[in-house]
Amino acid sequence: MLDFKGKLVLALGERDGIPASSILTCAESAGGQVVYNVTQCFV
Amino acid sequence: MVWGASPTLTAGAAPTRAVPSAVGAEPVVRAARFALAHVPHLVVAGSKPRRELAAQGQGLWYKLQASLRNFEAAVAYPPHQVMLGNLAPEALWDCPRPWHRAPVAGARPEGPAGVLVGEATLHTWLVRGDAAKLVSLAEDYAVELSARLAGARVATANAAGLKAALAVGGEPLAGPAGRVLGVVAPGHEADESLTGAVILENLVAKVTGALALRRLLDEVCPAEPVEFLLGSGEEAVGDRYQRGGGNLAKAIGELAGLRGAGGVDLKAFCAGPVHALIMAGALVRSGLYRRVIVVGGGSLAKLGMKSLGHLAAGYPILEDVLVGMAVDVVADDGRSPRLRLDSAATLRLGDGDAPHQVAMALTVAPLKRLGWRLSDVDRFAVELHDPDVTEPAGSGNVPAHNYRIIAALAAQAGEIDRGGMAAFERAHGLPGFSPTQGHIASAVPYLPHAIAGLTDGSLRRVQLIAKGSLFLGRMTTMGDGASVVLERNAR
């Protein structure tokens, strides 16, 4: 299991996969600090 | 109208507008048409190829040129035959992939859902649609096009003239083997919103939208007045003071020879067309108009978007077509599928962006409101991107991913068990077949087939679901979406 406590996180999301907003919510709830988040769309 | 003949702009007064009725009729979707323009030599003007060519240079240019398809291959490409209505989308389930290796024998460049034209036709219409007189053609190419131009006036230039025009910001109209067929001049020498590249991008959107609209007008109730046009594309038409001023809808209507119609553009990234369908239905239902056509032009920027993946996979460059669309929304004619406005849904502020949240808001909730289950919808039309285009570039199978989420929700609701998800996806979903032209791919390519199935076929309900990536504009981190159900007309 990945330990997010005290870690800086770059959240790179995909609209048709997992968007950055979801990664951010999960990472911060696990104690990480999201310093950059962006959702890409590849179509 | 004969393709390649004289412009269809009509002279004379606009038709008198009917007085709006106080109470409208239920809206129906009567027809949809697509105009595909096969433009392999404009692939280099797509956003990704342009940037990669600047970075990688001549070596990449040669690889791209060697991988371009000819017109016959584009016509015979099975997904294009689906776009034209000559092949059912479901036929692709059993067609071996990659589909470019299974060309359709005897394929025609037109069908009940539209037409596929070549580069010379597209160039001819660029000249006809060039309201600001920014397009000039190479002298020798203008001679080659003279029969198609049929008297339409165009500036011409010799080799030195073309070179000079390119040197001051003109955008080349590329032809085979590096030939420059013409130049699109900037709309202003000091306006970044009117560069030659932007003018070309907007012109091809205008022209492909007009070709689709003209096809629809020629084939569907030509004597019935069109009262309003709703543009739904993703282009930005404007100048330095109003970059996205818009209303390309009216320019499309003008080029298609319409008189008497108003118009406006509706912008929502890829969700634009489905939003526009809902708005068109509401306009008809209100009684304000009896005939509204949703239009949209093709995306030059998306040509060759996945080309590096195609080169690596040994595929031809598959993103070599521009697509324009026109969808006819009218008052209930007793036959065409009803646009169920009571099923319309949009992704609202606070609905969330995770795929299951989007599916709940756009797919499950509107059906539940009407007492329907997911299984009560015969087909879900999602973003129908051709997976042969997206998978080599690592972008996956977009429609399949969407259908997996819908099937998962059906299992969660107890309509099916987990083991039945694959069968649900196959029965209620569709293989992707649309060119990756953004807003064009979002649900609407299925419309001609949906209309046929909901009138003469066995379909009862089809849900159109579109998503828009608002976050790409950097003004929000949100996405967007819209959905609506088409239902067999009870009358």
Side-chain angles (χ1 to χ4, degrees):
Chain A
M1 175 81 96
L2 192 63
D3 183 4
F4 277 89
K5 287 193 184 58
K7 298 281 197 308
L8 300 179
V9 178
L10 306 174
L12 307 176
E14 192 193 337
R15 187 201 66 174
D16 294 307
I18 304 176
S21 53
S22 299
I23 300 172
L24 184 148
T25 303
C26 291
E28 289 190 342
S29 70
Q33 182 187 348
V34 176
V35 295
Y36 178 75
N37 76 91
V38 68
T39 298
Q40 302 285 6
C41 171
F42 294 116
V43 285
Chain B
M1 185 195 121
V2 175
W3 295 99
S6 301
T8 56
L9 289 171
T10 54
T16 306
R17 186 166 170 258
V19 175
S21 58
V23 176
E26 291 303 318
V28 297
V29 179
R30 182 164 61 185
R33 294 291 185 272
F34 294 95
L36 283 67
H38 179 238
V39 289
H41 299 101
L42 283 183
V43 167
V44 293
S47 176
K48 179 68 168 174
R50 191 189 291 266
R51 284 176 281 124
E52 290 296 329
L53 284 165
Q56 296 190 37
Q58 201 70 353
L60 176 61
W61 186 87
Y62 283 115
K63 285 183 196 167
L64 285 172
Q65 299 303 309
S67 299
L68 298 178
R69 290 188 289 196
N70 62 23
F71 184 72
E72 289 68 34
V75 169
Y77 184 54
H80 293 169
Q81 287 295 306
V82 177
M83 288 293 292
L84 297 177
N86 291 330
L87 200 62
E90 292 84 352
L92 293 176
W93 287 130
D94 297 320
C95 185
R97 289 179 57 198
W99 290 320
H100 66 273
R101 295 192 185 136
V104 176
R108 294 175 299 117
E110 54 185 322
V115 64
L116 199 163
V117 302
E119 277 181 325
T121 301
L122 191 274
H123 294 154
T124 303
W125 280 93
L126 286 180
V127 168
R128 294 202 187 124
D130 180 25
K133 302 295 175 224
L134 298 171
V135 176
S136 57
L137 295 181
E139 283 171 339
D140 51 357
Y141 190 52
V143 170
E144 289 173 40
L145 284 191
S146 57
R148 290 171 190 267
L149 287 168
R153 296 182 63 182
V154 61
T156 58
N158 58 19
L162 292 174
K163 198 172 167 186
L166 291 171
V168 294
E171 174 71 9
L173 269 183
R179 186 181 170 199
V180 176
L181 301 177
V183 176
V184 180
H188 192 285
E189 71 275 9
D191 187 342
E192 68 274 10
S193 299
L194 292 173
T195 63
V198 171
I199 295 290
L200 177 60
E201 182 174 318
N202 290 340
L203 262 182
V204 302
K206 174 184 173 183
V207 159
T208 49
L211 284 171
L213 177 58
R214 192 65 252 171
R215 183 79 174 185
L216 190 147
L217 294 172
D218 283 343
E219 294 187 339
V220 184
C221 303
E224 189 180 313
V226 178
E227 294 176 288
F228 203 70
L229 298 169
L230 271 175
S232 64
E234 295 174 278
E235 73 292 323
V237 171
D239 73 357
R240 60 194 167 194
Y241 289 110
Q242 35 271 325
R243 279 193 329 105
N247 212 340
L248 191 66
K250 285 189 73 180
I252 287 172
E254 180 186 40
L255 181 58
L258 267 188
R259 286 294 179 270
V264 79
D265 283 350
L266 185 155
K267 295 287 177 203
F269 282 82
C270 293
V274 174
H275 274 298
L277 275 182
I278 295 168
M279 294 293 165
L283 286 168
V284 169
R285 181 66 183 80
S286 74
L288 187 57
Y289 302 122
R290 288 190 64 85
R291 188 178 191 189
V292 178
I293 299 184
V294 173
V295 294
S299 169
L300 180 76
K302 294 198 170 183
L303 292 179
M305 188 169 48
K306 313 285 182 196
S307 51
L308 296 188
H310 299 149
L311 288 176
Y315 287 11
I317 303 304
L318 296 175
E319 291 165 307
D320 57 356
V321 292
L322 300 158
V323 185
M325 56 169 266
V327 183
D328 200 18
V329 179
V330 297
D332 191 358
D333 60 2
R335 172 179 158 74
S336 301
R338 288 186 54 205
L339 191 63
R340 289 289 301 258
L341 290 177
D342 51 355
S343 74
T346 64
L347 196 65
R348 302 162 307 171
L349 301 171
D351 274 340
D353 287 319
H356 66 283
Q357 291 173 319
V358 173
M360 285 298 293
L362 296 182
T363 303
V364 175
L367 299 180
K368 206 169 174 177
R369 220 166 45 229
L370 294 167
W372 296 336
R373 303 167 310 152
L374 290 163
S375 310
D376 293 329
V377 172
D378 294 301
R379 294 286 187 279
F380 296 94
V382 297
E383 293 167 272
L384 296 169
H385 301 283
D386 177 353
D388 276 355
V389 173
T390 54
E391 284 179 336
S395 301
N397 186 331
V398 175
H401 185 84
N402 278 272
Y403 293 129
R404 177 60 50 86
I405 302 276
I406 295 173
L409 289 170
Q412 200 176 53
E415 293 184 35
I416 57 173
D417 57 40
R418 281 187 74 168
M421 280 175 54
F424 184 95
E425 290 163 36
R426 174 88 180 223
H428 296 268
L430 295 161
F433 59 89
S434 173
T436 46
Q437 287 272 287
H439 55 286
I440 296 290
S442 291
V444 293
Y446 186 58
L447 273 175
H449 304 278
I451 293 166
L454 289 164
T455 49
D456 301 320
S458 60
L459 301 179
R460 294 166 307 143
R461 286 188 199 100
V462 171
Q463 189 182 44
L464 310 176
I465 308 161
K467 289 191 268 190
S469 301
L470 306 190
F471 48 83
L472 292 172
R474 304 290 190 249
M475 290 295 107
T476 177
T477 57
M478 288 187 300
D480 185 32
S483 69
V484 70
V485 170
L486 296 189
E487 188 176 52
R488 180 179 285 273
N489 197 314
R491 289 166 48 191

